[in-house]
Structure formats: C-alpha cells, structure tokens
Amino acid sequence: MATFFALHIPPSTPGPLLVGRDREQAVLRDCLAHTRAGHGSLVLLGGEAGVGKTALAEALSREATHQGVLVLTGHCYDLTETPPYGPWLDLCARYPAGDALPPLPVPLAARGQLGVITSQNTFFREVQDFLTAVAARRPLVLLLDDLHWADPTSLELLRFLARQLATVPVLLIATYRDDELTRQHPLYQLLPLLVREAPASRMALRPLPDDAVEALVQARYSLPSPDAARLVAYLHAHAEGNPFYIAELLHACEDEGVLTLRDEGWMLGDLAHASLPALLRQVIDGRLARLGEPAREQLAILAILGQDVPLDLWARVSAVDDGALVDLLDRAVDAHILTPTPTGTEVRFSHALIRDALYAGMLPVRRQRWHRRAGETLAAATTPDPDAVAYHFQQAGDERAASWLVAAGERAQRAYAWLTAADRFAAALALMQHRNAAAGEQALLLVRLAQARRYAASRQGVAVLEQAMPLAAAAGDHALAAIIAFELGKLRCFLLDIRRGLAEMQAGQAAIEALSPADRLRLKGFREAIYGESGEQEVFDSQGALTGFLADAGRYAEAIALGERVLTQMPSTPISTGRDGSMYGDVYEGLAKSYAALGRPAAARRAFAHARAAYRAVEHHFQVALTAVFALECLLLPYQADQVAERQHLAQVAEDAWRLASGALDSLPPRVARLSPLALAGEWTEVRELAPALLANEPGIRLWAAHVLGPVAYAQGNTALAQTLVQDVFLDGPTTAPGNSIFRWALPIQRLAAALALDTDDLPTARAWLEAYDRWLVWSSAVLGQAEGQLGWAAYYRAAGDLDAAHRHAEAALVHASEPRQPLALLAAHRLLGELAMVAGQPAAATQHLARALALANACAAPYERALTLLAQAEVAASHDRDHAVRLLAEVRAICTPLGAAPALARADHLTARLARVQPTPSAYPGGLTAREVEVLRLVAQGLTNAQVADRLFLSPRTVGRHLDSIYSKLAVSSRAAATRFALEHGLG
C-alpha cells in the first residue's frame, strides 16, 4: 500500500454547550488564571462515564488555547493494555515540533514509543525539567484523560510532578471514572495523597439536575413551553441526567425527524413515535446502521485497534484503499461517530461508549480474526510496542501472546513498574500452562512472578515457588532449582517462618556453590531474567540476603562472620553496576543491623550508609526505604534519639524512597516509613490511622507494626489491643524460643507483656516474661536491649516491694544505657531512679535524676516522655511546693490529652485530688526559701548564669532574676557569691 495520507481537518466548530457546570467552570477558570499568573495546580475531575468530565476539561482547554496557553492531552484506553507511561507517551506525541520550544526528554522523544529509561529517578527529573522549561516560555495545560485506565508508573509520575506544581505555571487536569475505582485500585489509593501533597482541587461531577436539562433544551432549541416540557421529561426518563446520553438522544431525535428545524424555528413531533429505546446502545446502533454494513465493519476494525488510532495503522490492518477510507471518514465525522485529531494523522471515536458498542457488536470469531491481524501488523513494526502486540494476540487466542507478554513484563521491570510486570508475567504464565509449555520455561516465569510480588504477596509467592520447584527438577535444571530453593527460603523468612526459611536459604546457597562450572555460568542469565538487573557476581547474591536474615533472626555473630567474609571476597570497587548493588546492599544492611545490636553504633552507621548507597546505585527504591527505616530503628532511635534533625531527615529519605517504589508494597502508604519516629514525636493520631492497613498485612509487617502500636496502645490505656498484639506475636507465651521472629521487634513486645502483667499484680507472669527476655538476650549476645531489660526487673521488684533490688537494677540500667550511650534508655533509667529516690525519702536525689530525665526528653523531642517526667516531678513537688506541682500537672494534661494517654492522665488526676485534700505547709527549706527558689539557688551555686538557669528550668531570665532578688532578701545577702556560700553550708550545692 502506498504511503498513507493526512486527514483533512474541517474548519473548527464551537464546542458543546455546557450547562449545570457553572461552579466547576469557575473553579477551572480560576485555576487557569492562577497558572497564567505563574502558579500551577492540579484538578481532579471524577464522575461516571458520559457525565461530562472530558467535555468540561476540553472546554477549558479551548479557552486556554485562545489565551495563548499550550495545551497537551494524553489518553488512557480500556480495550488496549496501557503500557508503562502510556498517557504521558500519548501526551508527548502531540507536542508541537519547533515553535522554539524545548526538546522532549529522550525516553519520550520517539512520539508514542517509550525509549530506554536507565534511571526512574533521573527520568522523573527530566520530565519535570522539561515541563518547567516549556512553562517558562508558555503557560501549560496538561490534560490526562480517563486516568482510571492508567498504568501504575504513570500515576507515580503524576504524583511526582504534582508536588512540584506550586511554583511552575502548569495546570494539570486529570479525569477519571470514580465508579470504576475499587479500594484496591492504585488511583483510589493515590487520590487522597494527591490532594494532601499538591495544590489540588477535587471535583466529582454528578448527573445534571432537572433545571440544567431544561436550560440545555431551551438554549439549543427554543421550543414552545409545552414542547420543551415534553422533551425534558423524555430526556429525564431515558438519560437520567447523563450529558452524553442526553446529547445522543437529541442527535437521534434530529436524525429521525422528531426534532425538526423549520423557518419558524424548532418543532417537536410525537416522541412516542421516536422509535428510540431507553438503552443508549441501541441509539448508537441506529446511527451506525445508517452508514451501512460495510462502513460498520470498518469502524468495528477501528474499535479493535483502540480509541485513538493512527490512520496508517487502520489502513494497513483493514487493507481498504485510501479513497474508500476517506469517504468513510467523511461520513463517520458527519454522523458524530469519529473525530479527527489536530494532526490529521489520527482519528478517535467521539466517545468511548461508541467504541464499546461497536466492539461488543462484533461476533467473537470475527473479533479474534481482526485482533490477530492487528497483532501481526504491530509486531512487524520497527520498534513494536510489546503491550499492544500482546494484547491483540491475547484477544485472538494466539499462543504468540505469551512471548510478547514476557517482553512487556521485562519492559515494565526495567521501568521499575513492578505491579505491571507481575500482571504481564502472570498472564504469560496462564497461556504457557494452557499450551503445556516446557517445564523449565514455566518454572523460570513462576520465579519471575514471585520476585515481582515478593513484598506485597509473600504467601502467594511461596505457593508459586513450590509450584516451580518440581518443574525445575523435571527440566533437570540444577541452577534454577538452587535459585528456587533459596528464594523460597527468603519468602518464608518474610512470613516469619524464619528457622525453616534460613535452613532453605542455606541449602540453596550450598546447592549454588555445588553447581558444575557450566551451570554456574547460567546463573548470571537467570539473575538478569529474574531480577531484571545485570552484574558480574554469580555466587554472592544469596550470601548477602542470608546475612540480612541471620541478623533479623538475632543470630548476630553468624551474620557478622558471613557478611565480613563476603566483603573480603568482593571486588575492591565498593559498588559496581546492576544486581551487584543489591548484593552489596544486602550484605551491608545485615552487618549494620548486627553491629547495632551488639553495641557498635559507629560501625553500624558506616554500614547503613554503604547499604543505602548500594541500593541507590541500582535504584532499588524499596530497599532504600527499608534500609532507612532499619537505620532509624536500629541506630538513630536507640543511640542518637537526641539528634532530632538527622532523625527527621532520615525519615523523609525513607518516605520518599517508599513513594518511588512503585508496586513494591502498594497496600501501605509511604507515610508508614515514619512509623517509629511518629510514635516518639507524639503523632499518635496518625499512628492509629496507619494501624488497620499495617495489621491487615503480611506477618512481618504486622510484627513491625506491633512493636510500635503495642506501646502506644498501652500508653493510651488500650490494654486489650496491647494484649492481643502480644498474643499474636508470642503464640507460646513466655516459653517462645528465639530465632523464629524478627528479634529487634520482638524484644519490645516481651517488655510490653511484662508491663501488662505487672499492672494486674500478676508477678509470676511478669517474672516469666522478664526471664524469657533475658534468655533471648543471652542467646543473641545482644547489647542493645540490656538497659531496658534491667528497667523491667526494676519495675518488677518495685511492684514486689523490694526497693533495694529495684534500685540495683535501675542503677544497672543506667550503666548499660551509658556505654554505648542510649538517650532514651538513659532517660527512662534516670526517671525510674528519681521515682525510687522519692519513695525512699531522698528529694534531692529525686530532683537531680528527674532533671536529667527531663533534659533528655526535651533533647529527644519526645513529648510523652516529657509528660511522664513532669508527672514524676509533680509527685516530688507535691510534698513541699503545692503550686509548682499544680503547674506541672497542667502541662502534663496539655501534653497527654491530645495523645489520649489515659493512664498518665488518671495518675495526674489522682495527684490533683491528693493536692486538693492537703493544706499548704510552711517551707521546710532553710532561710524560708521555696522549692523553686532552692532550684534556682542550686544552679547558681553550680556557676550557671541567669540565662542558663532559665534554660534548665524552662523560665524566662527575668523570672530567674526575680527569684534571685527574693533569695537575696530572705538570706540577707547581696551577691551571688554570698548566696552560693549559703547554699554550700546548707547542703544545697
């Protein structure tokens, strides 16, 4: 066939009349004006099919074009598998060449074909820079239509760009069918985040109200009132306020002569004779029938190809000569069935529902024939789109679909679109199983599928790999069987079947090392197929993962021995390319967790930094996120909790990386990466909001959640939830043996179990939990957790009435928390020592310990810890400075009320009631000094300035000065030196 033509575009006609959308149009115009003033925004237009989302967006697009704004539109289509970045490819294909505008980003420059993406982060930045450069020359409107059919990677790019809109003159409009969004749909989960993170307006279009339909009829036809009322009633009955249905019914009435234009104006005939049924499908069929059966068949072929189709593709598939196709196009455009695109090289259906009707009206056998022809035509292209080819072969029932689905999955894998990759591999696998493909071929695809879903669906992954193992054995593929054994062990570890998982991993590792030279050479190819990455190492990948899971199990010495041995065998270059980066990351992460547990924070810090750098090198975003989370929980919070800025920075790193990890664990929002820092910072409302999704997830995620949620629930007085979390983690109670759980997360839950038992005066059970905790520490040789264990015993002996033993354990906790230094453990130890000193009648010692605890709580920005310390100070002050105690209790309530910390509030109420029953007594301090004056004098005697005293006591320098004046007056002295001598003489120094 000769080179095809460009479609002639008729003169532009006015857009459709919009009624009942005044508010929405006003919002859109405001957004456009805002954009032209230099500030971008995002508009989310939702509603059912045909409700007018696209019409509303296109009306604004026309206004924008008339105002000199550049408008680009990208579509998603339901009857074709939207490829990665599909709507963005479509949008860029419409980008005007020349016009002194910046060039497209290289991966999008092929106009409809996705180029090579070497780095997702770099690609996102390139798109952002491109749009910023375009908008610097002309304000920009981007319309993404039918986003409910978008691929996950397109949504990730949308989210990335939306967060940058505030300072860039880009108006981004996204339309979607809200009735097609289930709770599991990626867009359903993304919408609230877009609204929260971007300057966004969200509008849900509803069917037109009665008065809007009346306004439309009057504006379009100017009928006499009785006729207008009859037509409006007819439209109400058949269209139910859907603008598209209304428009189609009115077109049909005109075509059949029920609505006619005469010299005197529009006239309405008998609607009972308007042979139009209620269903719009029949309206569309009637219009198509008037074009003739041959034309309908050609339009059905077009419906097979898509919603927006290049004319040369239609010509090649249909094999119709140019003249006949031109004639058909003219008639279809006149009948409002097709609409030419601005370029003249493509055509689209005027509405997706028309295409639906054509597609559904074709006999299945004919649909298959044309899908096969379309697939073969697309496959013959120079750079075929594997998603499109695979889709057509699938619909044709052609076995070639399997290989194209694998190619599409590989492309998605390279683009970091894990969910899309998993979907393509699963579809290919179903076809392979149907045609009984070779056992080795099926086994490899099963492993690839399990790998793509390993974080989000570990349990299903185990079933998939168990299915793959006998297939690999049947194929005699020893290398693949060894990989499957190892990957199966990894997934069991994810599911907290850690002893079995580690045994399988070690068996898989041994099998890998025992492979023949020929089989070992095949490992690299398997790695590239399974992980979508390349690298030079054949053996060490499994050892890296094994290091990490040994550390998770609490087998720290083994993890360090293996990890350090592996590092000595690696190339001298710290991080190479491809899969090697993940292997290095696994080793360093396992070492970092082990170093931290064994009390080596400096070594852990270096190893965590190496791990993050390694994962970043291969853009393994989810592992970057997890490593940041582990660094927070194993290093920053235990050893550096008082470095608040670094804590916040690392939490942001974790959240950002999680957001980029498209499809890794899409059931959880990226905010969960901050779970532990949120709890420490007192953001308990958000912690509670995250809880349901966390607790409904995989076992490892539930354990992670439990070690944070359990203490929060306990602090809020929700002992039922706290007890449930304990029971879920420790099915055998205190007798549960170590080694089959994530060690660092299980320890806090054991301490929680002991605290719950003490609250009910169940000393035997509390003792059993504390003894179990000690056994676990001895088994692992862990240093981290020793201080908390001693604090648990101190609380036990305090409840048992043995204050001397309680004091010994609290002092031991202080020693453990001091070397290596652990601010939060130090805080708890000082607070408990202060409380014990108060009970022992040692107010000076109590005051000193509690002051240190309060300083640590402030340094760690830990409001709940501050509240507990203030509460203890109030209990000390209650005996000698009632007013000070009352002030402290007021601050306790100010902190604990928003937290919902019911037990602390109850304790504050009890002390308040006690204070109300006690009459103030004269000061017991020398010289008639008050408790606050004694606090000031002690610090002055230590050589502190007024400003330093004010900082320590949370007072203003002026207030400190007033206290000093009162001290001087009461003591009859006139200098700091004289006041200091008095303090030393009376034991107040």
Side-chain angles (χ1 to χ4, degrees):
M1 177 174 286
T3 302
F4 204 63
F5 52 85
L7 180 66
H8 171 68
I9 305 173
S12 62
T13 57
L17 178 65
L18 290 174
V19 296
R21 303 298 187 205
D22 293 344
R23 184 187 66 84
E24 291 85 355
Q25 285 184 290
V27 171
L28 287 172
R29 286 170 178 148
D30 284 347
C31 290
L32 179 59
H34 199 57
T35 299
R36 295 185 66 205
H39 307 284
S41 58
L42 171 66
V43 176
L44 301 165
L45 281 176
E48 66 181 10
V51 80
K53 305 177 296 295
T54 302
L56 185 62
E58 289 180 345
L60 182 82
S61 297
R62 286 190 295 273
E63 290 188 28
T65 300
H66 292 155
Q67 295 175 25
V69 176
L70 177 61
V71 178
L72 299 175
T73 302
H75 299 274
C76 307
Y77 307 116
D78 62 332
L79 294 182
T80 55
E81 293 286 348
T82 303
Y85 306 110
W88 298 100
L89 285 169
D90 191 41
L91 181 148
C92 288
R94 307 170 198 282
Y95 183 63
D99 289 348
L101 291 173
L104 287 165
V106 172
L108 301 175
R111 305 266 177 181
Q113 290 288 332
L114 183 65
V116 175
I117 297 176
T118 58
S119 161
Q120 186 188 51
N121 187 52
T122 301
F123 172 56
F124 282 15
R125 295 290 181 189
E126 286 176 350
V127 176
Q128 177 190 350
D129 292 344
F130 163 70
L131 294 178
T132 301
V134 173
R137 302 185 189 185
R138 290 177 64 183
L140 187 59
V141 170
L142 303 180
L143 171 57
L144 299 178
D145 202 23
D146 289 329
L147 210 58
H148 53 280
W149 289 322
D151 59 292
T153 50
S154 292
L155 299 179
E156 287 296 332
L157 179 53
L158 168 63
R159 185 179 184 186
F160 177 84
L161 296 173
R163 296 200 304 271
Q164 324 298 326
L165 287 177
T167 58
V168 183
V170 176
L171 173 56
L172 216 167
I173 305 173
T175 73
Y176 61 94
R177 294 184 187 176
D178 53 15
D179 55 345
E180 294 199 14
L181 301 186
T182 65
R183 290 182 178 272
Q184 290 72 41
H185 196 290
L187 182 58
Y188 177 90
Q189 299 170 9
L190 180 61
L191 286 173
L193 297 176
L194 287 173
V195 172
R196 185 173 70 186
E197 298 173 353
S201 299
R202 185 174 180 181
M203 293 186 286
L205 297 189
R206 297 291 175 252
L208 295 177
D210 294 352
D211 58 350
V213 178
E214 293 172 8
L216 185 150
V217 167
Q218 287 292 356
R220 186 164 180 170
Y221 300 107
S222 299
L223 290 166
S225 295
D227 286 349
R230 283 195 298 123
L231 181 56
V232 168
Y234 172 79
L235 295 174
H236 285 165
H238 292 80
E240 298 179 345
N242 186 294
F244 174 68
Y245 288 13
I246 291 170
E248 293 304 304
L249 290 170
L250 291 173
H251 279 307
C253 286
E254 292 178 26
D255 292 345
E256 296 205 356
V258 176
L259 266 170
T260 56
L261 181 60
R262 301 179 181 177
D263 292 341
E264 61 271 27
W266 286 95
M267 300 293 294
L268 180 66
D270 188 352
L271 287 166
H273 296 158
S275 66
L276 292 174
L279 297 177
L280 183 64
R281 163 87 183 277
Q282 292 171 289
V283 174
I284 296 171
D285 285 345
R287 182 185 301 174
L288 292 169
R290 288 191 290 277
L291 293 176
E293 193 55 36
R296 183 189 181 101
E297 180 172 347
Q298 292 303 317
L299 290 171
I301 295 170
L302 184 64
I304 291 284
L305 297 175
Q307 171 71 13
D308 201 340
V309 182
L311 291 169
D312 61 343
L313 176 62
W314 188 17
R316 280 184 283 129
V317 173
S318 65
V320 174
D321 67 79
D322 294 358
L325 211 53
V326 168
D327 178 64
L328 171 59
L329 286 169
D330 286 341
R331 292 189 294 132
V333 169
D334 289 342
H336 305 288
I337 291 170
L338 297 181
T339 301
T341 63
T343 63
T345 59
E346 296 179 338
V347 68
R348 70 169 63 113
F349 287 97
S350 59
H351 197 284
L353 295 179
I354 296 177
R355 181 185 170 218
D356 291 346
L358 279 162
Y359 188 86
M362 184 180 285
L363 291 174
V365 102
R366 292 179 66 78
R367 278 205 301 264
Q368 288 185 324
R369 170 192 168 192
W370 287 112
H371 273 300
R372 182 176 292 108
R373 176 71 179 272
E376 291 168 345
T377 302
L378 290 168
T382 306
T383 54
D385 179 348
D387 283 288
V389 177
Y391 165 74
H392 286 294
F393 280 146
Q394 274 183 288
Q395 299 304 310
D398 193 305
E399 66 180 21
R400 289 173 287 182
S403 61
W404 284 99
L405 282 166
V406 171
E410 290 170 343
R411 182 176 72 168
Q413 197 174 34
R414 289 192 298 272
Y416 309 98
W418 293 358
L419 280 181
T420 301
D423 289 344
R424 303 299 188 264
F425 291 148
L429 180 65
L431 294 176
M432 287 183 181
Q433 292 171 335
H434 180 72
R435 63 177 172 84
N436 198 25
E441 189 179 6
Q442 290 189 50
L444 178 58
L445 195 52
L446 283 164
V447 179
R448 298 177 80 168
L449 178 59
Q451 175 69 12
R453 294 177 173 169
R454 65 191 181 279
Y455 297 116
S458 300
R459 199 173 302 281
Q460 293 93 317
V462 167
V464 167
L465 291 177
E466 287 177 338
Q467 183 183 352
M469 183 63 81
L471 291 171
D477 196 327
H478 303 297
L480 185 57
I483 290 174
I484 292 172
F486 189 85
E487 291 296 324
L488 188 55
K490 282 171 62 176
L491 289 183
R492 292 200 201 281
C493 287
F494 286 144
L495 293 168
L496 299 188
D497 189 0
I498 294 181
R499 290 195 197 95
R500 182 180 179 186
L502 282 171
E504 289 180 344
M505 291 174 72
Q506 290 168 327
Q509 171 66 22
I512 289 172
E513 293 176 349
L515 291 173
S516 67
D519 282 335
R520 287 166 70 90
L521 288 175
R522 301 177 64 230
L523 285 176
K524 181 179 178 182
F526 280 137
R527 178 194 305 153
E528 293 177 0
I530 294 169
Y531 303 106
E533 299 166 339
S534 61
E536 298 304 318
Q537 300 298 312
E538 284 85 18
V539 180
F540 296 130
D541 286 344
S542 54
Q543 293 178 332
L546 189 55
T547 302
F549 282 114
L550 284 169
D552 286 337
R555 293 162 62 174
Y556 299 123
E558 293 176 73
I560 289 175
L562 176 60
E564 291 182 345
R565 184 174 72 249
V566 170
L567 287 179
T568 63
Q569 300 173 34
M570 287 182 176
S572 57
T573 303
I575 299 169
S576 57
T577 59
R579 179 67 185 166
D580 293 352
S582 291
M583 174 261 296
Y584 275 100
D586 291 346
V587 172
Y588 277 118
E589 184 184 283
L591 286 172
K593 290 184 283 194
S594 300
Y595 292 147
L598 296 183
R600 299 169 59 187
R605 187 179 186 90
R606 290 191 296 271
F608 273 129
H610 284 310
R612 283 199 303 279
Y615 290 132
R616 282 199 184 103
V618 293
E619 294 204 341
H620 196 332
H621 301 302
F622 192 59
Q623 279 301 147
V624 172
L626 287 185
T627 300
V629 169
F630 297 153
L632 280 165
E633 298 190 345
C634 300
L635 180 67
L636 262 294
L637 294 182
Y639 293 112
Q640 299 166 323
D642 50 356
Q643 297 184 19
V644 178
E646 185 171 355
R647 183 172 90 208
Q648 293 171 340
H649 169 72
L650 193 55
Q652 188 64 55
V653 168
E655 182 179 352
D656 290 344
W658 195 304
R659 183 175 292 110
L660 289 172
S662 174
L665 200 58
D666 60 316
S667 60
L668 294 177
R671 193 72 174 170
V672 299
R674 295 177 177 267
L675 187 64
S676 292
L678 286 171
L680 181 59
E683 301 292 342
W684 291 0
T685 298
E686 187 166 4
V687 170
R688 288 196 304 270
E689 290 171 352
L690 293 170
L694 287 161
L695 295 177
N697 223 289
E698 300 281 2
I701 300 297
R702 292 203 301 272
L703 176 57
W704 174 36
H707 97 283
V708 178
L709 295 174
V712 170
Y714 178 76
Q716 292 182 321
N718 190 349
T719 55
L721 174 58
Q723 192 67 58
T724 297
L725 294 174
V726 170
Q727 292 166 354
D728 286 348
V729 174
F730 292 97
L731 298 178
D732 296 327
T735 64
T736 303
N740 209 35
S741 185
I742 308 296
F743 191 88
R744 63 185 174 277
W745 292 337
L747 287 183
I749 300 174
Q750 286 179 318
R751 299 196 299 266
L752 173 63
L756 287 166
L758 288 178
D759 282 352
T760 59
D761 295 324
D762 187 353
L763 294 179
T765 299
R767 186 178 190 90
W769 279 111
L770 291 169
E771 289 173 343
Y773 184 89
D774 287 347
R775 288 196 302 273
W776 280 49
L777 288 177
V778 170
W779 176 85
S780 68
S781 300
V783 171
L784 203 60
Q786 294 280 358
E788 289 83 355
Q790 292 296 323
L791 287 170
W793 281 112
Y796 169 84
Y797 283 112
R798 182 183 182 183
D802 189 344
L803 297 184
D804 289 339
H807 191 272
R808 287 196 303 273
H809 283 285
E811 287 285 1
L814 192 64
V815 172
H816 284 295
S818 299
E819 186 56 45
R821 184 175 181 273
Q822 301 155 57
L824 291 174
L826 279 173
L827 189 165
H830 277 300
R831 185 169 60 230
L832 182 54
L833 284 167
E835 292 171 348
L836 292 172
M838 174 186 63
V839 174
Q842 301 170 348
T847 299
Q848 186 177 42
H849 280 297
L850 292 176
R852 292 176 181 175
L854 187 62
L856 285 164
N858 295 332
C860 295
Y864 180 62
E865 299 296 333
R866 174 175 170 78
L868 291 182
T869 308
L870 291 172
L871 189 51
Q873 287 185 328
E875 289 168 340
V876 172
S879 62
H880 61 275
D881 193 342
R882 181 178 178 278
D883 292 342
H884 182 47
V886 169
R887 289 194 297 272
L888 290 171
L889 290 173
E891 186 173 353
V892 169
R893 289 192 183 87
I895 295 172
C896 291
T897 299
L899 293 178
L905 288 169
R907 193 171 144 197
D909 289 343
H910 176 75
L911 181 55
T912 299
R914 199 179 86 199
L915 289 171
R917 293 192 300 269
V918 177
Q919 295 299 317
T921 59
S923 172
Y925 290 107
L929 299 178
T930 67
R932 177 61 85 183
E933 289 166 350
V934 168
E935 288 178 324
V936 171
L937 181 56
R938 279 201 177 100
L939 296 175
V940 167
Q942 295 173 19
L944 273 63
T945 66
N946 284 14
Q948 291 170 327
V949 172
D951 185 63
R952 289 283 188 92
L953 299 179
F954 298 93
L955 302 172
S956 70
R958 180 177 297 177
T959 301
V960 172
R962 286 200 299 269
H963 282 306
L964 273 176
D965 290 341
S966 178
I967 291 169
Y968 292 170
S969 175
K970 290 180 180 180
L971 302 184
V973 299
S974 59
S975 68
R976 298 171 79 89
T980 299
R981 282 196 301 273
F982 180 91
L984 295 175
E985 289 168 359
H986 291 81
L988 302 179

